Coordinates of all heavy atoms in Angstrom, one line a residue:
A1 N -1.7 8.1 4.3 CA -0.8 8.8 3.4 C -0.6 8.0 2.1 O -0.6 8.6 1.0 CB 0.5 9.1 4.1
L2 N -0.4 6.7 2.2 CA -0.2 5.9 1.0 C -1.5 5.8 0.2 O -1.4 5.8 -1.0 CB 0.2 4.5 1.4 CG 1.7 4.3 1.9 CD1 1.9 2.9 2.4 CD2 2.6 4.7 0.8
A3 N -2.6 5.8 0.9 CA -3.9 5.7 0.2 C -4.2 7.1 -0.6 O -4.7 7.0 -1.7 CB -5.1 5.5 1.1
V4 N -3.7 8.2 0.0 CA -3.9 9.5 -0.7 C -2.9 9.5 -1.9 O -3.3 10.0 -3.0 CB -3.6 10.6 0.3 CG1 -3.6 12.0 -0.5 CG2 -4.7 10.7 1.3
E5 N -1.7 9.0 -1.7 CA -0.7 9.0 -2.8 C -1.1 8.0 -3.9 O -1.0 8.3 -5.1 CB 0.6 8.6 -2.3 CG 1.7 8.6 -3.3 CD 3.1 8.1 -2.7 OE1 3.1 7.9 -1.5 OE2 4.0 8.0 -3.5
R6 N -1.7 6.9 -3.5 CA -2.1 5.9 -4.5 C -3.6 5.7 -4.4 O -4.1 4.8 -3.7 CB -1.4 4.5 -4.2 CG 0.1 4.6 -4.1 CD 0.7 4.6 -5.5 NE 2.2 4.6 -5.4 CZ 3.0 4.3 -6.4 NH1 2.5 4.0 -7.5 NH2 4.3 4.3 -6.2
R7 N -4.4 6.6 -5.0 CA -5.8 6.6 -4.8 C -6.5 5.4 -5.3 O -7.6 5.1 -4.8 CB -6.4 7.9 -5.5 CG -5.9 9.2 -4.9 CD -6.5 10.4 -5.6 NE -7.9 10.3 -5.6 CZ -8.7 11.2 -6.3 NH1 -8.1 12.2 -7.0 NH2 -10.0 11.1 -6.2
R8 N -6.0 4.7 -6.3 CA -6.7 3.5 -6.9 C -6.1 2.2 -6.4 O -6.3 1.2 -7.0 CB -6.6 3.6 -8.4 CG -7.2 4.8 -9.0 CD -8.6 5.0 -8.6 NE -9.5 3.9 -9.0 CZ -10.7 3.7 -8.7 NH1 -11.3 4.6 -7.9 NH2 -11.4 2.7 -9.1
F9 N -5.3 2.2 -5.3 CA -4.7 1.0 -4.8 C -5.6 0.5 -3.7 O -6.2 1.2 -2.9 CB -3.3 1.3 -4.2 CG -2.2 1.2 -5.2 CD1 -2.5 1.4 -6.5 CD2 -0.9 1.0 -4.8 CE1 -1.5 1.3 -7.5 CE2 0.1 1.0 -5.7 CZ -0.2 1.1 -7.1
G10 N -5.8 -0.8 -3.7 CA -6.6 -1.5 -2.6 C -5.7 -1.9 -1.5 O -4.5 -1.5 -1.4
Y11 N -6.2 -2.6 -0.5 CA -5.5 -2.9 0.7 C -4.3 -3.9 0.4 O -3.3 -3.9 1.1 CB -6.4 -3.4 1.8 CG -6.8 -4.9 1.6 CD1 -6.1 -5.9 2.2 CD2 -7.9 -5.2 0.8 CE1 -6.5 -7.2 2.1 CE2 -8.3 -6.5 0.7 CZ -7.6 -7.5 1.3 OH -8.0 -8.8 1.2
R12 N -4.5 -4.7 -0.6 CA -3.4 -5.7 -0.9 C -2.1 -5.0 -1.3 O -1.0 -5.3 -0.8 CB -3.9 -6.7 -1.9 CG -5.0 -7.6 -1.5 CD -5.4 -8.6 -2.5 NE -6.4 -9.5 -2.1 CZ -7.7 -9.3 -2.2 NH1 -8.1 -8.2 -2.8 NH2 -8.6 -10.2 -1.8
R13 N -2.3 -4.1 -2.3 CA -1.1 -3.4 -2.7 C -0.5 -2.4 -1.7 O 0.7 -2.2 -1.5 CB -1.4 -2.6 -4.0 CG -1.5 -3.5 -5.2 CD -1.5 -2.7 -6.5 NE -1.5 -3.6 -7.7 CZ -2.6 -4.1 -8.3 NH1 -3.8 -3.8 -7.8 NH2 -2.5 -4.9 -9.3
L14 N -1.4 -1.8 -0.9 CA -0.9 -1.0 0.2 C -0.2 -1.8 1.2 O 0.8 -1.3 1.8 CB -2.1 -0.2 0.9 CG -2.9 0.8 0.0 CD1 -4.0 1.4 0.8 CD2 -1.9 1.9 -0.5
F15 N -0.7 -3.0 1.5 CA 0.0 -3.9 2.4 C 1.4 -4.2 1.9 O 2.4 -4.3 2.7 CB -0.8 -5.2 2.6 CG 0.0 -6.3 3.1 CD1 0.4 -6.4 4.5 CD2 0.4 -7.4 2.4 CE1 1.1 -7.4 5.0 CE2 1.1 -8.5 2.9 CZ 1.5 -8.4 4.2
V16 N 1.6 -4.5 0.6 CA 2.9 -4.7 0.0 C 3.8 -3.5 0.2 O 5.0 -3.7 0.5 CB 2.8 -5.1 -1.5 CG1 4.1 -5.2 -2.2 CG2 2.0 -6.4 -1.6
L17 N 3.3 -2.3 -0.1 CA 4.1 -1.1 0.1 C 4.5 -0.9 1.6 O 5.7 -0.6 1.9 CB 3.4 0.1 -0.4 CG 3.0 0.2 -1.9 CD1 2.2 1.4 -2.2 CD2 4.2 0.0 -2.7
L18 N 3.6 -1.2 2.5 CA 4.0 -1.1 3.9 C 5.0 -2.2 4.3 O 5.9 -1.9 5.1 CB 2.7 -1.2 4.8 CG 1.8 -0.1 4.8 CD1 0.5 -0.4 5.5 CD2 2.4 1.2 5.4
R19 N 4.9 -3.4 3.8 CA 5.9 -4.4 4.1 C 7.2 -4.1 3.5 O 8.3 -4.4 4.2 CB 5.3 -5.7 3.5 CG 6.3 -6.9 3.7 CD 6.5 -7.2 5.2 NE 5.3 -7.4 5.9 CZ 4.8 -8.7 6.1 NH1 5.4 -9.7 5.6 NH2 3.6 -8.8 6.8
R20 N 7.3 -3.4 2.4 CA 8.6 -2.9 1.9 C 9.3 -1.9 2.8 O 10.5 -1.9 2.9 CB 8.4 -2.3 0.5 CG 8.1 -3.3 -0.6 CD 7.9 -2.5 -1.9 NE 7.5 -3.3 -3.0 CZ 7.1 -2.9 -4.2 NH1 7.2 -1.6 -4.4 NH2 6.7 -3.7 -5.1
E21 N 8.5 -1.2 3.5 CA 9.0 -0.2 4.5 C 9.3 -0.8 5.8 O 9.8 0.0 6.7 CB 8.0 1.0 4.7 CG 7.7 1.7 3.4 CD 6.6 2.8 3.6 OE1 6.1 2.9 4.7 OE2 6.3 3.5 2.6
G22 N 9.1 -2.1 6.0 CA 9.5 -2.7 7.2 C 8.3 -2.9 8.2 O 8.6 -3.2 9.4
E23 N 7.1 -2.7 7.8 CA 6.0 -2.8 8.7 C 5.7 -4.3 9.0 O 5.4 -5.1 8.0 CB 4.7 -2.2 8.1 CG 3.4 -2.4 8.9 CD 3.5 -1.9 10.3 OE1 4.1 -0.8 10.5 OE2 3.1 -2.6 11.3
P24 N 5.7 -4.8 10.2 CA 5.6 -6.2 10.5 C 4.1 -6.7 10.6 O 3.9 -7.9 10.7 CB 6.2 -6.4 11.8 CG 6.1 -5.1 12.5 CD 6.1 -4.0 11.5

């Protein structure tokens, strides 16, 4: 879902967004 929302984001920025949501 995050990759669809942020189509030009790589795994590093997606990891930061998941960490903000509390993903350990």
Side-chain angles (χ1 to χ4, degrees):
L2 287 176
V4 171
E5 180 183 355
R6 309 278 186 164
R7 296 180 55 184
R8 301 304 300 174
F9 275 19
Y11 77 94
R12 292 183 179 88
R13 286 192 173 89
L14 294 179
F15 163 73
V16 174
L17 297 180
L18 289 173
R19 180 57 61 90
R20 289 179 186 174
E21 297 177 358
E23 174 59 42

